[in-house]
Amino acid sequence: MGFLDIDNTTKSYGSVEVLHKVDISIEEGEFLVLVGPSGCGKSTLLNMIAGLEEITSGEIRIKDNVMNGVHPSKRNIAMVFQSYALYPNMTVGQNITFGLEMHGVAKPEREKAMQDVARLLQIEQLLDRKPGQLSGGQRQRVAMGRALVRNPDVFLFDEPLSNLDAKLRVDMRTEIKKLHQSLGTTIVYVTHDQIEALTLSTRIAVMNGGYVQQLGTPQEIYDKPENIFVATFMGSPAMNVVPAVVRVDGGVPQAEIVLFDGSKARLPFSQPNLTAWDGRDILLGIRPEAITDHDSADRKSGNIASLSNRIVVTEPAGSDMFVSMQLGGKDVIARMRSDADVRAGQDFEFAVNMEKAIAFDPETEARIQP
Amino acid sequence: MSVASQDTAIRTGRVTRKLIYLVLVLFALFYMLPLYVMLVNSVKPLSEITGGGMMNLPQAFTLEPWAKAWSSAQIGVEPTGLAPYFWNSIKMVVPAVAVSTVLGALNGYVLTKWRFKYDTILFGLMLFACFIPFQIVLIPMARMLGLMGLAGTTWGLALVHVVYGIGFTTLYFRNYYAVFPTELIRAAQIDGAGFFQIFWRILLPSSGPIAVVSVIWQFTNIWNDFLFGASFAGADSQPMTVALNNLVQASHGVKEYNVHFAGAILAAMPTLLVYIVAGRYFVRGLMAGSVKG
Ligand SMILES: Nc1ncnc2c1ncn2[C@@H]1O[C@H](COP(=O)(O)OP(=O)(O)OP(=O)(O)O)[C@@H](O)[C@H]1O
Ligand SMILES: [Mg+2]
């Protein structure tokens, strides 16, 4: 059993099931990120952990104690809300200590806990202000202080950074990560931002339509997506997915894809069991950074294939150059060095890192397991 | 506030502006006229009024009519003045306003933050209370008060007003709390606050504007009510409005207009006071739901 177990949990509103048999177990000190598009049920799941939504079936356990039906305040959790939800009529200090007061902690201890947290988050000079007199970033800190002061078993965050501007968001992201590393707390964090998910988490649960599509470390999610949804949702720009046919040549399975002019090219797979798919259609998934020029191709890769194709558009983006082309009738994006010598309309020799290529079954959209 | 209104004000020429002010002043004077008539005539001896010249300023200033209206005028059969009835009204209005406002706030809290099945239907039914004409409930209400042993008492009258007012106060608070962020309630729940702690510590401190609206509305309506007072009050629990009517309608003797005027002003004074003290919050509270943020 883990530290936090979500065991076959479902949620229905009336006859509509919005979460289907969710099964997640995390260890103490883990940073779990729930990520997925709007309406996939992330907040609902988080609220069920918090006790703000009832569990329709299944169990949620914290430290092996069943939480079904336990009041939110008795679960020893703390939550940071998207809107921060600071009590507008109380000062920052009162906001931070309100939970302790409600739990019957004596005043001197409350004061001390408040000072400790304020020092940790560097909000000591704000303690006497009202939330209305704070900036967005300061409110964010106070909201975290209110969660930290309770010293809970599990921290729950519901899109805590989505109200901040881009720069502050990156700063606070780093700050949350530092906090997690120094305090070693267990965190469940909801976001729809896949970058946030990849940077913060120790594990990610990618959700869609009320199902957990994949649960894994950021590396697993990124490199070995279980299906096309996960593959295209995580990563920016998204993974290229192109139709291909498997051809076995000399015992080696190859992906046959149609180029811009209708001619065909073959790229050899590094996945031997694909020989079983000889002659069948698949979907080939390649991340943009796995398509480059030969000079900057990954030297550690044992399988770099050449691909000649015409460049349609080049988009310089500061550190990178995004180059788009036609493959299998789809727009495909390659990520090159910013100083790559490429022009629109040029025929170019690309290097494709086929070690990173992933084959999907076009029927089920699931990954063909190696 | 003033900065914003300057920015949004339509620019007008000086002549147009003066014209607008002129019209506004005229309107204001027109509306003030009755008050003027009442005030002037309440400080004149009766002879000056009966001699004609209602609009004239008093030649012999006297507070006699005020004293008489307050403490010695004939109300019904007793020469008690309006004073005891004034206190009757206070004893009826204060608990009725307080209770109906608190109940309205509680209802609004439950209807928006502790949703349950059929809560919107329940709210719809409560709204009906705002549309039921007074006359329809007179007889059933009299019967209920009789059954509860409250017939003819100030408490009974207060109860009637509480019941009648809850529809309005619930409407006010429900609409106000509907835009109050639910996340705050959830945060308080996680912090361990209970149902009433959330109400007292989180919700009520942020309810100032709408509480003012509710209090003003309830106060003026209950204070000014005549029908319920005339129907349900006993001889010694009659409110100010009924007493004023008895004073003015007294059929015997000379009609002491100056005393009537003074009495009428006395009867209107509390509502006037409430408006002056809390009036500026009134509009703010009414607007609060629509222009938040
Ligand atoms: N009270 C409710 N009654 C019925 N359906 C609801 C209710 N609350 C949420 N839902 C549905 O449950 C699904 C999941 O909602 P949820 O708020 O968990 O989404 P989310 O993943 O947090 O999305 P977002 O990123 O937009 O916040 C949605 O389809 C939503 O319509
Ligand atoms: Mg959400």
Side-chain angles (χ1 to χ4, degrees):
Chain A
M1 287 297 105
F3 189 77
L4 167 66
D5 293 309
I6 302 164
D7 189 356
N8 254 318
T9 305
T10 58
K11 174 73 188 176
S12 307
Y13 289 108
S15 59
V16 187
E17 194 170 282
V18 297
L19 280 179
H20 320 278
K21 289 212 185 295
V22 174
D23 227 351
I24 298 172
S25 174
I26 62 170
E27 299 304 323
E28 182 158 17
E30 273 208 79
F31 197 131
L32 173 72
V33 171
L34 304 174
V35 67
S38 189
C40 70
K42 314 177 289 287
S43 298
T44 307
L45 184 56
L46 197 74
N47 288 337
M48 283 160 78
I49 301 173
L52 299 168
E53 296 272 4
E54 267 173 47
I55 299 162
T56 309
S57 76
E59 260 181 19
I60 290 181
R61 292 183 298 271
I62 296 175
K63 289 191 183 169
D64 285 339
N65 297 319
V66 177
M67 287 296 141
N68 298 41
V70 175
H71 190 268
S73 65
K74 306 238 159 69
R75 298 186 176 206
N76 204 14
I77 48 127
M79 189 154 170
V80 176
F81 294 87
Q82 181 171 2
S83 65
Y84 316 135
L86 300 179
Y87 311 125
N89 52 302
M90 300 183 198
T91 64
V92 167
Q94 289 166 333
N95 261 284
I96 291 176
T97 53
F98 184 71
L100 295 178
E101 187 189 336
M102 291 294 115
H103 280 81
V105 176
K107 183 133 201 223
E109 285 168 56
R110 297 207 301 259
E111 287 291 316
K112 183 174 179 314
M114 177 181 85
Q115 293 298 344
D116 289 348
V117 164
R119 200 167 320 117
L120 179 69
L121 293 171
Q122 294 158 17
I123 48 173
E124 289 146 299
Q125 71 289 359
L126 305 177
L127 287 174
D128 294 324
R129 289 210 211 157
K130 291 276 176 72
Q133 304 162 318
L134 301 178
S135 72
Q138 290 169 332
R139 279 180 219 185
Q140 174 66 54
R141 276 167 203 276
V142 175
M144 294 214 297
R146 191 170 63 180
L148 281 171
V149 79
R150 303 254 320 271
N151 196 17
D153 290 333
V154 183
F155 282 93
L156 307 172
F157 289 83
D158 192 353
E159 309 211 16
L161 304 184
S162 56
N163 280 343
L164 301 178
D165 64 55
K167 165 111 175 52
L168 202 53
R169 188 148 60 207
V170 175
D171 292 348
M172 287 307 289
R173 197 168 75 197
T174 317
E175 199 133 338
I176 291 178
K177 181 145 193 170
K178 272 194 213 151
L179 219 54
H180 173 247
Q181 280 169 354
S182 63
L183 300 178
T185 45
T186 311
I187 296 180
V188 181
Y189 184 108
V190 164
T191 179
H192 58 247
D193 180 343
Q194 43 93 20
I195 307 268
E196 235 168 78
L198 290 168
T199 47
L200 284 173
S201 65
T202 59
R203 270 201 295 167
I204 301 178
V206 184
M207 299 179 60
N208 190 28
Y211 290 96
V212 173
Q213 301 283 339
Q214 187 173 355
L215 174 67
T217 64
Q219 205 63 49
E220 282 166 1
I221 298 277
Y222 192 78
D223 287 341
K224 298 173 184 141
E226 288 296 328
N227 56 42
I228 293 198
F229 175 80
V230 176
T232 50
F233 189 78
M234 302 300 287
S236 166
M239 179 184 267
N240 301 299
V241 178
V242 293
V245 181
V246 178
R247 303 280 180 212
V248 178
D249 188 0
V252 178
Q254 304 188 336
E256 185 179 82
I257 38 180
V258 181
L259 300 179
F260 76 101
D261 56 358
S263 64
K264 289 171 180 165
R266 287 188 179 188
L267 304 171
F269 279 110
S270 292
Q271 188 179 338
N273 68 341
L274 281 171
T275 47
W277 285 69
D278 191 13
R280 291 166 64 185
D281 289 333
I282 57 153
L283 291 170
L284 175 67
I286 310 174
R287 295 245 174 240
E289 62 270 24
I291 311 175
T292 53
D293 52 312
H294 276 280
D295 287 342
S296 41
D298 186 353
R299 305 211 182 279
K300 279 182 282 180
S301 170
N303 185 3
I304 301 285
S306 276
L307 180 75
S308 265
N309 207 3
R310 180 160 298 172
I311 292 171
V312 181
V313 179
T314 61
E315 293 172 41
S319 57
D320 298 304
M321 167 90 80
F322 294 114
V323 174
S324 69
M325 66 187 103
Q326 283 278 313
L327 263 189
K330 301 267 166 121
D331 279 326
V332 163
I333 295 191
R335 181 183 216 147
M336 321 258 271
R337 284 180 290 116
S338 57
D339 56 355
D341 183 21
V342 289
R343 292 183 316 280
Q346 181 189 15
D347 287 323
F348 191 81
E349 184 89 359
F350 292 97
V352 182
N353 183 357
M354 286 300 285
E355 263 191 355
K356 298 265 182 183
I358 294 178
F360 297 100
D361 181 340
E363 305 267 304
T364 62
E365 302 208 330
R367 176 173 191 211
I368 300 167
Q369 296 297 337
Chain B
M1 202 66 191
S2 61
V3 177
S5 55
Q6 257 176 17
D7 279 350
T8 50
I10 299 164
R11 305 223 170 276
T12 44
R14 287 175 60 174
V15 182
T16 332
R17 189 161 284 234
K18 287 212 169 106
L19 224 87
I20 292 174
Y21 284 147
L22 186 71
V23 172
L24 287 178
V25 167
L26 283 177
F27 271 119
L29 284 178
F30 183 70
Y31 280 110
M32 299 287 275
L33 206 56
L35 184 66
Y36 166 79
V37 170
M38 285 176 66
L39 267 177
V40 207
N41 288 303
S42 71
V43 289
K44 285 179 193 170
L46 186 59
S47 56
E48 274 187 46
I49 303 176
T50 45
M54 286 252 285
M55 304 298 285
N56 298 345
L57 288 169
Q59 278 149 19
F61 178 85
T62 168
L63 284 175
E64 188 61 28
W66 283 75
K68 191 164 183 198
W70 180 248
S71 56
S72 65
Q74 189 88 11
I75 312 288
V77 286
E78 304 279 347
T80 57
L82 289 168
Y85 303 98
F86 182 88
W87 296 119
N88 278 349
S89 269
I90 294 281
K91 276 186 266 176
M92 164 188 77
V93 164
V94 170
V97 168
V99 172
S100 62
T101 298
V102 169
L103 284 181
L106 261 176
N107 284 343
Y109 170 46
V110 171
L111 285 170
T112 52
K113 304 303 175 199
W114 297 82
R115 308 288 303 268
F116 50 93
K117 221 176 176 181
Y118 306 126
D119 56 357
T120 42
I121 296 179
L122 186 78
F123 176 57
L125 290 175
M126 293 199 75
L127 278 190
F128 265 121
C130 307
F131 302 117
I132 300 173
F134 280 19
Q135 294 82 345
I136 289 184
V137 299
L138 282 184
I139 293 169
M141 191 67 92
R143 176 98 184 97
M144 289 302 294
L145 287 177
L147 284 177
M148 287 186 283
L150 289 173
T153 65
T154 301
W155 289 114
L157 210 49
L159 176 71
V160 173
H161 284 298
V162 167
V163 171
Y164 228 99
I166 280 181
F168 288 97
T169 55
T170 301
L171 170 69
Y172 291 147
F173 280 97
R174 197 208 81 109
N175 288 353
Y176 189 77
Y177 290 155
V179 292
F180 191 87
T182 303
E183 286 195 345
L184 279 171
I185 310 292
R186 300 191 141 187
Q189 274 180 286
I190 291 178
D191 272 343
F195 179 88
F196 283 106
Q197 278 170 324
I198 294 176
F199 184 60
W200 286 116
R201 301 284 303 269
I202 313 290
L203 222 47
L204 272 193
S206 309
S207 309
I210 203 66
V212 169
V213 170
S214 175
V215 165
I216 291 187
W217 174 267
Q218 284 297 89
F219 190 96
T220 44
N221 271 315
I222 298 175
W223 185 275
N224 288 335
D225 164 71
F226 180 76
L227 187 60
F228 284 160
S231 311
F232 300 134
D236 53 3
S237 64
Q238 281 175 345
M240 190 74 167
T241 44
V242 177
L244 179 66
N245 179 61
N246 291 348
L247 169 74
V248 177
Q249 299 290 327
S251 49
H252 46 77
V254 267
K255 293 232 178 246
E256 295 179 293
Y257 292 112
N258 50 355
V259 177
H260 299 175
F261 279 128
I265 297 175
L266 280 173
M269 197 80 87
T271 46
L272 219 63
L273 214 69
V274 166
Y275 264 116
I276 290 168
V277 172
R280 62 206 185 96
Y281 299 105
F282 187 66
V283 178
R284 218 184 285 169
L286 281 182
M287 304 272 292
S290 49
V291 289
K292 197 148 190 158

